[in-house]
Amino acid sequence: MSPQPDMLPTGSDLIGRWARGRGVNYEGRPNQAWFRFWEPFDTMVSAAHYFNAVTWPGTPGSVTIAEPWTEDGDLEPMDRTLIAFANHPGLRFTASMRSGEHFITRVSFLAKPPPPEVSLGDPVWDGHVTTFAQSRQDGLSAFSRPLRSLVKTWAFSGHIELRPGAAVIHYAGLKPLPKHYEQLMSIVPQLVTAALTPG
């Protein structure tokens, strides 16, 4: 990865003001090494840089939302979006899912291939979602019935990657705007809570 550019994306000032008003930590140019620790993703490309990170403590754990900048330098990406990174010690299973095709969807696997695609035996889920896990049982354990029900209720489009102690969430259509940070702040705890609920 090239050095992080000095620029900040358009709208960064609005996000910073919103975060300060919300009482959450804001970093326009956050520590990139922290994000690299989460990579590579199973279903998403790695960003060239991350901008406008907003972090707040959870109960327990923490959540960070940031904008992945998919182009080197100050070139504008083909689209802009948000990714949430959640830490929670109760998350125990490893699996990932993708619903829809998005500009950050990973399509080549030179380094680490994803786990195999699996069917969960849930016709609605399997008809709209691609699930990746080492086994069907791993997929069912990670994407429990409560989590699948929540995702179906929302007609979710995007990516969810679950790991022991962590989750990575991309909700397609959300942009780096204060109202969408606010929306993702509400979505992430609901997804984590559902992932912690057996069934």
Side-chain angles (χ1 to χ4, degrees), residues 30-86:
N31 180 354
Q32 300 297 297
W34 186 87
F35 294 96
R36 300 306 166 205
F37 175 79
W38 295 79
E39 297 172 350
F41 304 116
D42 288 342
T43 61
M44 296 179 288
V45 297
S46 297
H49 311 286
Y50 293 88
F51 289 110
N52 293 318
V54 172
T55 302
W56 69 96
T59 313
S62 65
V63 179
T64 295
I65 299 173
E67 177 181 0
W69 194 260
T70 55
E71 297 292 336
D72 277 323
D74 56 4
L75 293 173
E76 187 87 10
M78 69 170 63
D79 202 355
R80 294 174 65 186
T81 192
L82 297 172
I83 296 179
F85 303 84

Side-chain angles (χ1 to χ4, degrees), residues 80-161:
R80 294 174 65 186
T81 192
L82 297 172
I83 296 179
F85 303 84
N87 288 294
H88 193 293
L91 294 170
R92 298 185 297 128
F93 302 105
T94 301
S96 54
M97 64 79 82
R98 180 187 75 241
S99 178
E101 297 291 340
H102 311 284
F103 79 101
I104 63 168
T105 297
R106 187 178 178 198
V107 294
S108 61
F109 303 95
L110 300 178
K112 175 191 169 219
E117 290 185 27
V118 297
S119 169
L120 301 188
D122 177 335
V124 175
W125 177 271
D126 292 333
H128 294 86
V129 171
T130 304
T131 306
F132 301 91
Q134 290 301 324
S135 69
R136 178 181 178 184
Q137 186 55 54
D138 286 350
L140 287 168
S141 296
F143 294 104
S144 63
R145 191 182 308 275
L147 179 53
R148 297 198 310 274
S149 295
L150 180 64
V151 168
K152 290 177 200 174
T153 299
W154 288 343
F156 178 91
S157 180
H159 305 78
I160 301 173
E161 300 196 10

